[in-house]
Amino acid sequence: MQITYRIAKYLKVVLAVLLLAACTPIGEPATPTPAPVLVRVGVLPFMSNAILKIADAEGFFVEQGLTVELVPFRSSNDFVPLLLQGELDVAAPALTAGFFNAIARGGNVKIALPLTAFTPQDCPVVVVLARKSDVEAGKYASPAQWKGATIGISLAGAQGLPGYVVDLFLRQAGLTAQDVTLTALDPAVQGEALRSQQVDLLYAAEPWITRLLAGDDVVVLSRAEDVAPDLTSSFMVYGPSLLAEPEVGRRFATAYLNAVRQYHEGKTPRNVELVAEYAGLETELVQQVCWSDIPLDGAVNVDSIMLYQEWLHDLGLLDRLLSADEFLATGFVEVPE
Amino acid sequence: MSESALLVNHLAKTYVSPRGTVTALADVSFRVAAGEFVALVGPSGCGKSTLLRLLGGQLAPEQGAIEFPGWPRPPKRRLVFQEHSLFPWMTVLDNVAFGLEMEGVARQERRAQAMAQLTVMGLADFARHYPHELSGGMRQRAAIARAFVTQPDILLMDEPLRALDAQMRLVIQDELLSLWESTRPMVFYITHDIEEALLLADRVLVMSGQPGRIREEIPSPFGRPRDLTGRTHPEIEDLKWHIWTLLEQEVKRLLQVKSK
Amino acid sequence: MAAFALGWLALWELAARAGWISRLFFPPPTTILLTLGRMLVTGNLAPALALTLYRLALGVAIGAGSGALLGWLMGSSRSVRLALDPIVTALHPLPKLAIFPIFLVLLGIGEASKVALVALTAFFPMVINTLAGVQQIDTTHWEAAANYGARGRALLQRIILPGSLPLVLVGLRLAVNGALMVTIAVEMLSAREGLGALIWLAWQTLRTEELYAVLLVIGVLGLASNSLLELTSQRLLPWKGET
Ligand SMILES: Nc1ncnc2c1ncn2[C@@H]1O[C@H](COP(=O)(O)OP(=O)(O)OP(=O)(O)O)[C@@H](O)[C@H]1O
Ligand SMILES: [Mg+2]
C-alpha cells in the first residue's frame, strides 16, 4: 500500500513534468500548506475581476475571517485544471467546454456565484461593431445582411460564450454559422483588423468598445443584451476544497456579495480608483467605459447556461449534457426572504 | 635574347598583426631559369612559405619585385601544398580536373586529361573516390597530378612530401622527377630534407631566418637524368654536412634571438 | 531502451487505470492510442496535419532559403558581413512569439503573419550556420582555389557552396526544429486549424487524450523530419564519410 502510494506520487510528478513540458503553462508555483482559512483566488486582469480587489481592499474578506490571496493569471485557460488539482480554491474561468467535460469526467468544480450578466442597462458591455462607412452606406440595415461577412472574434471565444452570442445574433436573422466566416483575432489587433477590412464585423467587449469607438470610424451594430438578456456571462467557480467546506464557501460568498453591493454604488471615486488600479487602465478610461452588471442577489441564470450548454453539445464539444445540479452549487448564498 | 626566368630582387615582407610585427623576409634576391629545378631549405619559420606565396601571387610584396623576364605571356604558376589541399567535396577526378575546369576546358576534355594524368600516376582506380578514402601518399600524388595536368610554367611546391614516410617519399620523388623530365617546368621546391633537396634539384638555396635571407646557393653535383637509386654518392655526404652546419648555426642563432 | 519505455508506459497505464493518478490529466496510453486512431479515421487530424506541414514547409522554404542566401553573401563579402553581423546577432535571440502581435498588425490576421513568424524562426539558425560553414572552409582550400583561378561564380559553385554545405545542413536541421515548435505555438495562439489549434481545442475542452494524441503526432513529425534531413545529409555529403 505504502509503496504503491509512493509510486503513484512519483508517477504524478513525472507525468506532471511531461505535461508541463509538452504544452501548458500551469502558472504560479503552489504555495505550501494552506492555512484553513486561506483562500487562493485565480484572477484575470479584466475589469470584472476587480470585484475581488474591492472585496480584498475594503476588508470584506477579513471581515469574514478569510485570508485571501489573489493569484494573477493572463488567461483563464488553466483555471479548471488548477482548481481540480487544489492549486486554486476559487476562480472565474471562461465557461468553456472544458468546464463541463471536467465535471462529466468526475471533476469536482461548480459554479457558486454569478460574475457578469448581460443585464439590459443604458450602455452595452458586449457588442458587435462595424465600420461606420459600411453602416452609413446601409450595408447592415437588416440582420440578414450579415450573410457572407467575416466576423472577428477572440480565439478563445469562437468555441465559447462569444461564439454562442454571435450564433444568437445569426439565428435572430435566420442565419447560421455557415453563412459567415469567423476569424480568430487577438484583442490587441482587432481594431486594426476591422479598419483595414480584414474583418467586416467585430465581436468586442469593454474596455475595447470605448477605445474603438473613440476613433469615430466604428459604430455599434448590435448589443449582446438584446439577444441574450440576463444571460449570466461569467461565474465564480469553486474547486473541491471550498465545495468540501460549505462554511468557508458561504463566508467567501458573503464577502463577495458585500463587494458587489459597493460595486453597485457605481463609478464612485473609490470604485474607479480600485478598478483602474486593478485592471491597469487609466482612470479616465475606467470612467468612460460601460461597467458590466454583477447581479446583486447572487443568483445565476440557470436557463441561460443550459441553452449555452446545448449549443456546445451541438458543436460536438461536450462529452454529454449535464443537469443543473451537476455544475451549479447551491447553499452558499443566503437568500434574504 | 634574354632567356625566360624568374627574377627576385630585394624582396621584403613584414606581417603586421595586433599581436606584433614579424619581418618574415628581408632583402631576398635570386634568379631561376626556365626549366630549372630549384630547392629551398632553411630553418623552420625563416619565411619559406611566405616566399612561395609571394612567388605564387597569393601575397603582395611590400618592397622589392618579382619579375618574369623573357616569357611570351605571364607564366602560369601553380602551387602544391603541404597536405590536405585537395577539396574534400570533390572526387579525385574532379580535383585533378579542377585547374582545367577553371581555365574553361570542356568537361569531356578535362576529364580525359585528368584521367590520363591519374593513369600515369597509378591512381586511375581511385578517380571516383573522395579524398578521405585515400591514403596520405595517394592524396599527395593526386595533388601533384592536379598541378601537373594544367601544364604550369612554374610549379611552386611547399614541402609536398612532409607528412609521408620514407618509402612513400622515395616513390613520389621518383615519380616527380620523371614528370618533371617529361614537361620541364620551372620548379621551386621547399623542403626540410637536405638530401631530398640535393637529390632532386639543380641548385639548392639555403635560407637564414629572422629575417629571412638567402645565405648560400649550392649547385647539385649530379647530372641529368638523375638516378635516385644511387643515393649513396660519395659527394653527397660532404654537401649534406656543409648545409647541415649552415642550418645548425642558423637554428642556434634563432634560439638565441627567441630567448633574448 | 525500448523495454524501459514500454515499462514506463505499462506503469502509466496501470496507474491511470487504478486511479493513482488523475485520469482526467493523465489518460491511460491505450486510450490515447485509441483516440489517435479515431482521430485518424474520423478525419480531423489529417487536414490539421496537412495544414501544419504546409505552414512549416512554406515558412522553412522562405526563412531557411533567404537565411542561406544571406549567409553565403556574408561569408563571401567581408563588408556585407561587417555590416550585417551586428544586426543578425542582435535580432537572433529575440523571442519570436513576442514579435507575433507586430506581425499581425503588419501582415494581417491571415496566413502571412503565421508563415512569416515561422520563416523568421528558420532564418536565423540558417544565416548563422551558413556563415560559419563558409568561414570554416580551410585556408588551404581558399588558397588552392585562388591559385587555380577560381573567382566569382565558379568560386561560389565549386568551393563556397559545397564547402559550407555540412554546416548549412546542420543549420537546416535547427531551422526545421525551431520552425516546427513555432508553427505549433502560433497555431495555439491564433489559428483555428492545424495541429496547434487541435492542441488548444483539446485543452479548451479538457479532452486530454486528444491533447496527448496530437503531441504524439508532433513527436512523430519531429522524428520523421529529422530522419529525412539525416538521410538528405548522407546523400548530399558522400565525402563526409560514415560517422
Ligand atoms: N599570416 C601571418 N601573419 C603573421 N605572421 C605570419 C603569418 N604567416 C607567417 N608568419 C610569420 O612569418 C614567419 C615566416 O613564416 P613562414 O610560414 O613563411 O615560415 P616557414 O619557413 O614556411 O616555416 P616552416 O618551415 O615551419 O613551414 C614566421 O615567423 C611566422 O610566424
Ligand atoms: Mg612553411
Side-chain angles (χ1 to χ4, degrees):
Chain A
M1 221 33 229
Q2 266 273 306
I3 291 171
T4 51
Y5 174 73
R6 271 167 55 191
I7 291 176
K9 203 162 172 195
Y10 185 44
L11 245 183
K12 256 186 196 172
V13 171
V14 169
L15 291 178
V17 168
L18 243 173
L19 185 70
L20 269 172
C23 61
T24 56
I26 289 280
E28 301 295 298
T31 7
T33 47
V37 285
L38 173 68
V39 179
R40 274 163 310 173
V41 186
V43 291
L44 299 170
F46 302 155
M47 284 178 60
S48 60
N49 279 233
I51 194 71
L52 295 157
K53 171 75 178 179
I54 293 176
D56 192 40
E58 306 297 30
F60 296 132
F61 286 133
V62 177
E63 245 171 50
Q64 298 296 324
L66 300 174
T67 309
V68 166
E69 188 190 336
L70 301 183
V71 189
F73 282 82
R74 256 173 13 90
S75 99
S76 73
N77 252 354
D78 307 324
F79 276 166
V80 170
L82 290 176
L83 286 169
L84 286 174
Q85 296 298 86
E87 299 296 325
L88 294 174
D89 302 303
V90 187
L95 221 53
T96 60
F99 172 78
F100 295 106
N101 284 341
I103 295 171
R105 293 170 181 216
N108 190 18
V109 286
K110 281 181 177 171
I111 293 172
L113 293 157
L115 184 53
T116 54
F118 290 166
T119 315
Q121 8 174 46
D122 48 9
C123 63
V125 179
V126 172
V127 299
V128 170
L129 299 173
R131 282 182 295 273
K132 196 176 190 177
S133 51
D134 281 353
V135 172
E136 280 170 355
K139 213 165 177 184
Y140 302 111
S142 84
Q145 282 172 285
W146 286 29
K147 196 174 163 74
T150 300
I151 306 176
I153 192 167
S154 74
L155 176 65
Q159 273 136 343
L161 199 88
Y164 172 61
V165 173
V166 168
D167 198 56
L168 291 181
F169 283 127
L170 295 173
R171 272 191 241 170
Q172 196 189 32
L175 301 176
T176 68
Q178 268 68 53
D179 294 317
V180 296
T181 310
L182 288 190
T183 296
L185 279 186
D186 193 272
V189 297
Q190 58 185 3
E192 189 54 35
L194 182 63
R195 294 197 172 101
S196 63
Q197 321 219 338
Q198 296 184 59
V199 295
D200 303 313
L201 300 173
L202 192 62
Y203 179 94
E206 286 288 29
W208 293 100
I209 301 174
T210 304
R211 286 187 179 139
L212 293 172
L213 290 179
D216 202 35
D217 47 358
V218 169
V219 292
V220 172
L221 196 61
S222 311
R223 304 162 164 228
E225 63 206 51
D226 296 337
V227 281
D230 299 319
L231 172 140
T232 316
S233 52
S234 58
F235 309 85
M236 298 309 297
V237 169
Y238 283 5
S241 49
L242 278 200
L243 293 175
E245 291 196 66
E247 177 49 32
V248 180
R250 261 194 293 279
R251 272 145 61 190
F252 184 88
T254 307
Y256 178 83
L257 289 176
N258 284 340
V260 173
R261 216 157 289 133
Q262 172 170 332
Y263 179 83
H264 268 258
E265 289 166 13
K267 297 174 180 172
T268 62
R270 176 66 176 157
N271 281 347
V272 169
E273 179 199 335
L274 286 172
V275 171
E277 187 198 327
Y278 175 79
L281 301 171
E282 313 87 71
T283 321
E284 301 91 84
L285 183 67
V286 170
Q287 253 152 356
Q288 272 180 321
V289 301
C290 185
W291 290 23
S292 300
D293 177 50
I294 302 178
L296 254 180
D297 56 2
V300 170
N301 182 345
V302 179
D303 292 342
S304 70
I305 304 177
M306 293 307 277
L307 288 172
Y308 167 57
Q309 200 197 174
E310 276 161 27
W311 178 78
L312 288 172
H313 192 251
D314 289 344
L315 285 185
L317 298 174
L318 293 190
D319 292 351
R320 65 175 174 85
L321 280 172
L322 306 180
S323 63
D325 58 338
E326 284 179 291
F327 61 74
L328 187 68
T330 47
F332 292 118
V333 180
E334 282 150 40
V335 189
E337 270 311 303
Chain B
M1 190 198 103
S2 73
E3 210 189 319
S4 50
L6 158 66
L7 207 56
V8 173
N9 277 322
H10 306 294
L11 199 61
K13 175 74 193 175
T14 305
Y15 290 108
V16 182
S17 80
R19 289 162 297 286
T21 317
V22 178
T23 307
L25 294 176
D27 197 19
V28 171
S29 301
F30 59 88
R31 182 179 196 276
V32 186
E36 201 181 358
F37 195 131
V38 170
L40 181 71
V41 295
S44 180
C46 73
K48 302 183 296 291
S49 297
T50 304
L51 178 58
L52 201 81
R53 289 208 174 82
L54 286 161
L55 297 181
Q58 252 65 46
L59 280 178
E62 75 203 357
Q63 270 173 44
I66 300 167
E67 286 159 35
F68 302 97
W71 301 85
R73 55 184 163 79
K76 188 195 284 184
R77 290 163 280 165
R78 292 291 174 254
L79 280 159
V80 176
F81 302 83
Q82 254 171 11
E83 51 183 331
H84 302 311
S85 75
L86 291 181
F87 304 117
W89 52 85
M90 292 182 200
T91 60
V92 170
L93 185 66
D94 283 343
N95 260 293
V96 174
F98 182 72
L100 299 171
E101 183 184 349
M102 293 303 115
E103 288 167 17
V105 178
R107 186 184 164 86
Q108 285 292 327
E109 174 59 22
R110 66 174 187 251
R111 292 210 151 189
Q113 285 187 33
M115 200 63 205
Q117 189 73 48
L118 283 170
T119 310
V120 167
M121 303 186 74
L123 283 171
D125 289 346
F126 293 91
R128 310 250 157 236
H129 286 63
Y130 285 95
H132 79 272
E133 298 163 317
L134 267 57
S135 73
M138 290 156 104
R139 259 178 257 169
Q140 233 18 32
R141 277 150 70 205
I144 293 169
R146 177 173 71 178
F148 265 99
V149 79
T150 63
Q151 302 195 321
D153 301 304
I154 302 176
L155 199 56
L156 303 162
M157 307 181 88
D158 193 350
E159 301 190 63
L161 310 184
R162 178 184 204 161
L164 305 180
D165 61 52
Q167 242 87 46
M168 201 31 124
R169 298 175 80 145
L170 236 162
V171 172
I172 302 182
Q173 283 165 0
D174 224 4
E175 231 168 49
L176 184 59
L177 273 190
S178 65
L179 280 172
W180 177 73
E181 292 284 0
S182 61
T183 53
R184 279 287 178 147
M186 177 197 296
V187 175
F188 196 84
Y189 190 99
I190 295 178
T191 178
H192 266 109
D193 184 336
I194 302 165
E195 185 175 300
E196 181 181 49
L198 287 166
L199 285 174
L200 294 179
D202 299 314
R203 216 156 27 111
V204 179
L205 303 180
V206 183
M207 264 184 99
S208 65
Q210 304 283 17
R213 285 196 172 79
I214 304 290
R215 177 113 186 238
E216 206 170 312
E217 286 188 27
I218 296 161
S220 171
F222 313 119
R224 300 276 183 198
R226 209 164 280 181
D227 179 13
L228 286 184
T229 48
R231 283 178 169 251
T232 49
H233 294 276
E235 313 99 295
I236 204 170
E237 290 309 317
D238 290 348
L239 279 173
K240 263 170 80 176
W241 184 245
H242 174 65
I243 297 174
W244 176 251
T245 18
L246 277 178
L247 289 180
E248 195 191 18
Q249 287 166 15
E250 269 308 312
V251 171
K252 282 189 175 152
R253 194 179 62 81
L254 282 183
L255 284 175
Q256 277 162 7
V257 170
K258 290 263 161 63
S259 60
K260 251 197 309 194
Chain C
M1 188 53 216
F4 183 75
L6 277 179
W8 262 114
L9 287 175
L11 200 59
W12 178 354
E13 180 83 26
L14 186 69
R17 297 224 175 263
W20 301 333
I21 53 175
S22 160
R23 270 187 81 158
L24 179 58
F25 297 119
F26 308 109
T30 48
T31 309
I32 295 169
L33 279 180
L34 285 175
T35 307
L36 181 60
R38 179 177 52 74
M39 289 172 86
L40 281 169
V41 173
T42 56
N44 59 345
L45 194 56
L49 179 63
L51 193 61
T52 298
L53 279 176
Y54 163 76
R55 286 174 179 141
L56 179 68
L58 196 62
V60 167
I62 295 170
S66 52
L69 283 183
L70 191 67
W72 280 318
L73 195 65
M74 285 170 76
S76 319
S77 156
R78 203 178 129 78
S79 53
V80 175
R81 177 165 72 251
L82 289 181
L84 294 184
D85 206 36
I87 303 177
V88 170
T89 315
L91 294 181
H92 177 213
L94 290 188
K96 307 298 172 293
L97 287 175
I99 314 173
F100 187 54
I102 298 167
F103 273 38
L104 278 177
V105 174
L106 280 178
L107 299 172
I109 53 180
E111 285 301 300
S113 50
K114 299 182 187 73
V115 172
L117 201 73
V118 177
L120 192 71
T121 310
F123 175 77
F124 286 103
M126 208 61 184
V127 183
I128 288 165
N129 277 276
T130 305
L131 176 57
V134 178
Q135 287 176 324
Q136 58 79 50
I137 295 175
D138 210 295
T139 336
T140 311
H141 296 142
W142 289 114
E143 269 186 344
N147 184 248
Y148 284 88
R151 257 171 290 281
R153 201 184 145 92
L155 185 68
L156 188 71
Q157 275 182 353
R158 302 297 273 138
I159 309 296
I160 297 180
L161 297 195
S164 60
L165 196 58
L167 274 183
V168 170
L169 289 172
V170 171
L172 184 61
R173 202 154 160 166
L174 293 173
V176 169
N177 288 335
L180 177 60
M181 259 161 54
V182 166
T183 308
I184 303 292
V186 157
E187 287 176 344
M188 287 178 69
L189 272 183
S190 82
R192 302 204 54 201
E193 276 127 23
L195 293 180
L198 281 187
I199 289 185
W200 191 87
L201 183 64
W203 191 237
Q204 189 80 350
T205 53
L206 271 184
R207 286 174 172 164
T208 43
E209 68 280 2
E210 292 185 1
L211 177 87
Y212 286 105
V214 180
L215 288 180
L216 201 63
V217 172
I218 294 170
V220 171
L221 193 63
L223 212 62
S225 63
N226 277 294
S227 329
L228 193 72
L229 283 172
E230 178 63 41
L231 217 70
T232 315
S233 293
Q234 279 172 11
R235 271 285 168 91
L236 291 179
L237 305 172
W239 51 278
K240 270 293 173 190
E242 307 296 314
T243 37

